[in-house]
Amino acid sequence: RLDRIAALHQDPMPFRLDLPSRFSGQPSPKVVLHLDRSGSMRYEKWDRAKLAAQAIALAIKRAGGDVRLTVFDGNYYHTREYSAEALFASSLAGVSMLEANGKDTSFTWLPAVWMQFPDHVHILLTDGEGHRPLLIPVKDRRRTFAIVIPDGKPEMVAPLAAKVVVVNDLSRL
């Protein structure tokens, strides 16, 4: 089959073959992706982070999992069902998905989404800057992970996530 992500990265062999693995018996993954669209994520940062979110969403779908999406700046935006299909749209809830042009960044909405999806893993794709919620329950922090992109501040997002991965080169995202 044609692997769209590999084709986007101009892989000379953008095809994949699905083979059963030792993980075939594992439960399907349940993930909520949270994509930062604040002004600090403009240009290449936004393009790379969105492409990474698309790749993650496609991989989870391919594995038979459930993937949801929020896009955030000072507020958070989502479809009625939090559908990750919005990653492939030009707008979401009246905001552009073509560029990151939000004002400031806030994570204060995160507890509401944690409560909405208590059985899901949460992955933040962000540069890490922003206001944190006043209360960060340990059980929710344990199932939250952050991918912090270049020029980001991992120390700002670390209290929200059990694991923080810092990507120093956008081309590796």
Side-chain angles (χ1 to χ4, degrees):
R1 289 177 143 159
L2 176 66
D3 184 338
R4 295 185 332 180
I5 301 305
L8 280 172
H9 287 285
Q10 299 177 345
D11 188 317
M13 294 291 293
F15 300 98
R16 65 177 169 79
L17 176 64
D18 292 328
L19 298 172
S21 75
R22 65 185 179 119
F23 300 110
S24 301
Q26 297 290 331
S28 299
K30 294 179 178 180
V31 176
V32 181
L33 298 173
H34 304 284
L35 183 58
D36 186 347
R37 69 170 300 277
S38 64
S40 62
M41 292 287 292
R42 287 193 171 172
Y43 313 118
E44 187 181 9
K45 282 182 172 184
W46 170 252
D47 293 337
R48 293 290 183 152
K50 187 169 118 180
L51 184 63
Q54 290 171 336
I56 294 167
L58 290 172
I60 292 167
K61 282 290 192 190
R62 192 176 306 135
D66 178 32
V67 61
R68 307 299 178 104
L69 173 75
T70 65
V71 176
F72 67 95
D73 48 29
N75 296 304
Y76 74 106
Y77 310 93
H78 57 86
T79 67
R80 183 177 307 185
E81 299 296 322
Y82 290 77
S83 172
E85 297 297 321
L87 284 166
F88 303 94
S90 60
S91 67
L92 168 64
V95 298
S96 174
M97 289 293 287
L98 302 176
E99 62 180 342
N101 57 6
K103 300 278 187 247
D104 58 351
T105 307
S106 174
F107 300 100
T108 57
W109 49 268
L110 197 51
V113 184
W114 281 332
M115 288 190 311
Q116 181 79 21
F117 296 99
D119 298 326
H120 286 61
V121 169
H122 295 258
I123 300 174
L124 296 160
L125 291 106
T126 181
D127 59 6
E129 298 182 49
H131 305 287
R132 294 187 300 255
L134 294 176
L135 179 64
I136 303 166
V138 173
K139 68 179 179 62
D140 294 324
R141 184 179 184 275
R142 283 187 187 135
R143 60 194 178 95
T144 303
F145 303 89
I147 300 171
V148 179
I149 63 174
D151 302 324
K153 296 187 177 173
E155 69 278 3
M156 294 294 290
V157 77
L160 298 171
K163 176 109 174 136
V164 177
V165 176
V166 178
V167 178
N168 293 316
D169 180 3
L170 280 176
S171 67
R172 299 184 51 116
L173 190 57

